[in-house]
Amino acid sequence: QVQLVESGGGLVQAGGSLRLSCVASGRIVGYHFMGWFRQAPGKDREFVSSINWRAYSTHYADSVQGRFTISSDYAKNTVYLQMNSLKPEDTAVYYCASGSSAPMGPFASWGQGTQVTVSS
């Protein structure tokens, strides 16, 4: 089982940037995917981005393509989500997930989430 801890959320104005981090502990498989999902109030959880630990493959939702960048540091067991040009509609709780053999899941482990709020 892998434990995940997210950090880096906060309040930012529209057009601003944030970088989320997700530190994983436990048994990590190098070819598995790590992912970021988000859930806004009253909405279903949605896929944001994913990467395999060795960073050979990245995937993005259309809504964040070109604005968000996912990266991984296998030596630090950490995955990052750099979020630029943030919009109010990016406001959500962002969750880190791990343990999928496919880029969009299903994922075996989830973090507790970190709140991102973008003000207009």
Side-chain angles (χ1 to χ4, degrees):
Q1 189 71 14
V2 175
Q3 293 76 45
L4 305 171
V5 178
E6 304 102 329
S7 62
L11 173 64
V12 64
Q13 288 187 332
S17 299
L18 283 173
R19 188 175 82 155
L20 305 183
S21 299
C22 174
V23 180
S25 60
R27 184 175 179 270
I28 298 169
V29 179
Y31 59 84
H32 275 179
F33 283 86
M34 295 286 294
W36 286 98
F37 289 73
R38 66 187 182 187
Q39 187 167 21
K43 295 187 177 181
D44 293 334
R45 186 176 296 184
E46 65 174 358
F47 170 82
V48 174
S49 182
S50 67
I51 187 170
N52 68 335
W53 272 111
R54 299 294 187 177
Y56 298 148
S57 175
T58 60
H59 304 265
Y60 296 94
D62 290 343
S63 59
V64 306
Q65 181 77 48
R67 299 188 297 123
F68 291 11
T69 302
I70 192 170
S71 61
S72 64
D73 188 332
Y74 191 61
K76 296 182 178 180
N77 291 351
T78 303
V79 174
Y80 305 97
L81 186 68
Q82 177 67 44
M83 305 186 296
N84 298 328
S85 302
L86 283 162
K87 305 175 181 180
E89 51 263 44
D90 294 318
T91 295
V93 177
Y94 283 69
Y95 296 91
C96 178
S98 75
S100 175
S101 58
M104 297 186 69
F107 288 86
S109 301
W110 294 82
Q112 82 289 350
T114 185
Q115 177 70 46
V116 171
T117 303
V118 184
S119 62
S120 58

